[in-house]
C-alpha cells in the first residue's frame, strides 16, 4: 500500500539557518502531497500542498516540489525563525480510490534556537 | 482556528469502559475523517464519512465505531477500552471527498485510559 517516509528528528537549527526535511513516498497511483505542521498543544494545519508532478507548493517561506522521478516532496525554508519550531508531517492522499484519507509520515520535530 | 470543533478536550477513563468523542465539521464541509495519534503508531487514519455514509475505513479496531449524523456532526465510539487506546484523537473535515482537498483538523481529544 501507499506509504510515506520522513527523515528522523529532532532537527535543531539556529535562527536564520537553512532547513530541509526529507520526505519520500510510495504510491501506486497519482496522489496529492501535503506538508502539515503541528504546534505544541494544537491540531494539524496545512502548510502547503501539490496535486501533480512538478507542482511546487509554497507558503510562509516554506516550499516543496512534487518530484515523481525521485518520489520525493522535500520541505525547504531559506531562513528559519524560532516561531517555526513545531512538528512537521509529510502526507499523501490515498491514490487507490475516491477517498480523501491521508497517509502520514512519522513526523519531524524542528527546534529553532535564537 | 480551523472551524472544526471537538469535545471533550481531555478524557480520563478506566480500562473496560466506553467513551464517545464528538466532532463538528466546518460549516459546509460534508466529509469527516477520524485519525489517531499515538507515540508508537504515529498518525493513523481510522475512518471517513461523507454526507452521512461511510466512505473509507483504515486501521480501526472492531471495538471502535463511528457515525455521521444528518446535521453532519460525527461521533467516534470507543468501547472495552485498553491501556493501548490512550492517544490523541483528531477529527478533520473537508468540502468533499477528493484527495486534492485540504483537510481542516480540530484541536483533538486526548484520551487517557488508566
Amino acid at each position: 500500500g501507499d506509504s510515506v517516509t520522513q527523515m528522523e528528528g529532532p532537527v535543531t537549527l539556529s535562527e536564520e539557518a537553512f532547513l530541509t526535511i526529507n520526505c519520500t513516498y510510495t504510491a501506486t497511483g497519482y496522489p496529492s502531497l501535503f506538508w502539515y505542521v503541528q504546534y505544541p498543544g494544537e491540531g494539524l494545519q496545512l502548510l502547503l500542498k501539490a496535486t501533480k508532478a512538478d507542482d511546487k507548493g509554497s507558503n510562509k517561506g516554506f516550499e516543496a516540489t512534487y518530484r515523481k522521478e525521485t518520489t520525493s516532496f522535500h520541505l525547504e525554508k531559506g531562513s528559519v525563525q524560532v516561531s517555526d519550531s513545531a512538528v512537521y508531517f509529510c502526507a499523501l492522499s490515498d491514490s487507490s480510490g475516491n477517498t480523501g484519507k491521508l497517509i502520514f509520515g512519522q513526523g519531524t520535530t524542528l527546534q529553532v534556537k535564537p | 482556528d480551523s472551524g472544526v470543533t471537538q469535545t471533550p478536550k481531555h478524557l480520563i477513563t478506566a480500562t473496560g469502559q466506553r467513551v464517545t468523542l464528538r466532532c463538528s465539521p466546518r460549516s459546509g464541509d460534508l466529509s469527516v475523517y477520524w485519525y489517531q495519534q499515538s507515540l508508537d503508531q504515529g498518525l493513523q487514519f481510522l475512518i471517513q464519512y461523507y454526507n452521512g455514509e461511510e466512505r473509507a475505513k483504515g486501521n480501526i479496531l472492531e471495538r471502535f465505531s463511528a457515525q455521521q449524523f444528518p446535521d453532519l456532526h460525527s461521533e467516534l465510539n470507543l468501547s472495552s477500552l485498553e491501556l493501548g487506546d490512550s492517544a490523541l484523537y483528531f477529527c478533520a473535515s473537508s468540502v468533499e471527498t477528493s484527495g486534492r482537498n485540504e483537510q481542516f483538523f480540530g484541536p483533538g481529544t486526548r484520551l487517557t485510559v488508566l
Side-chain angles (χ1 to χ4, degrees), chain A residues 32 34 36 38 41-44 46 49 51 89 93 98-102 104, chain B residues 33 35 37 43 45 48 55-56 90 97-103 105-107:
Chain A
S32 295
F34 305 83
Y36 278 83
Q38 184 178 28
E42 297 183 15
L44 281 76
L46 179 68
K49 72 175 187 180
T51 57
F89 292 92
S93 61
N98 189 25
T99 83
K101 74 176 187 182
L102 293 174
F104 287 90
Chain B
Y33 308 80
Y35 294 89
Q37 185 178 33
L43 254 173
F45 168 74
Q48 177 197 1
R55 178 56 67 102
F90 286 110
T97 191
S98 164
R100 293 169 180 258
N101 295 130
E102 174 182 357
Q103 291 183 25
F105 281 76

Side-chain angles (χ1 to χ4, degrees), chain B:
Chain B
D1 185 355
S2 68
V4 178
T5 60
Q6 289 186 250
T7 56
K9 194 172 176 63
H10 299 280
L11 202 45
I12 301 174
T13 188
T15 54
Q17 296 298 305
R18 173 189 169 93
V19 297
T20 298
L21 313 185
R22 183 188 168 103
C23 168
S24 292
R26 286 192 326 153
S27 176
D29 284 358
L30 298 179
S31 211
V32 169
Y33 308 80
W34 286 96
Y35 294 89
Q36 179 193 58
Q37 185 178 33
S38 62
L39 282 175
D40 53 345
Q41 299 285 342
L43 254 173
Q44 287 201 91
F45 168 74
L46 295 178
I47 197 164
Q48 177 197 1
Y49 279 82
Y50 177 73
N51 204 20
E53 302 212 349
E54 183 183 303
R55 178 56 67 102
K57 228 170 182 176
N59 297 325
I60 188 166
L61 300 171
E62 283 192 14
R63 300 183 285 108
F64 295 2
S65 64
Q67 54 184 325
Q68 186 180 27
F69 295 86
D71 67 353
L72 300 177
H73 91 272
S74 177
E75 293 181 356
L76 179 67
N77 300 296
L78 316 176
S79 61
S80 303
L81 285 168
E82 301 175 1
L83 296 178
D85 298 328
S86 296
L88 197 49
Y89 291 85
F90 286 110
C91 167
S93 72
S94 65
V95 171
E96 47 181 73
T97 191
S98 164
R100 293 169 180 258
N101 295 130
E102 174 182 357
Q103 291 183 25
F104 294 86
F105 281 76
T109 293
R110 182 168 294 282
L111 173 66
T112 302
V113 182
L114 300 175

Side-chain angles (χ1 to χ4, degrees), chain A:
Chain A
D2 296 354
S3 66
V4 176
T5 302
Q6 277 180 246
M7 64 185 286
E8 289 192 22
V11 174
T12 303
L13 296 173
S14 298
E15 206 165 23
E16 298 184 4
F18 184 85
L19 168 71
T20 300
I21 300 178
N22 290 338
C23 171
T24 57
Y25 68 90
T26 303
T28 52
Y30 303 96
S32 295
L33 300 175
F34 305 83
W35 276 100
Y36 278 83
V37 58
Q38 184 178 28
Y39 297 102
E42 297 183 15
L44 281 76
Q45 302 173 27
L46 179 68
L47 184 58
L48 53 84
K49 72 175 187 180
T51 57
K52 62 183 188 297
D54 299 325
D55 267 2
K56 178 187 277 190
S58 60
N59 185 26
K60 299 180 183 178
F62 291 90
E63 57 183 37
T65 301
Y66 189 164
R67 301 275 187 212
K68 194 165 182 295
E69 64 276 11
T70 54
T71 61
S72 65
F73 193 55
H74 304 320
L75 182 68
E76 295 182 337
K77 186 175 186 184
S79 175
V80 294
Q81 307 299 313
V82 172
S83 57
D84 293 327
S85 298
V87 182
Y88 292 80
F89 292 92
C90 184
L92 61 79
S93 61
D94 176 37
S95 64
S96 64
N98 189 25
T99 83
K101 74 176 187 182
L102 293 174
I103 296 167
F104 287 90
Q106 61 267 49
T108 302
T109 300
L110 170 65
Q111 184 179 22
V112 181
K113 296 187 173 180

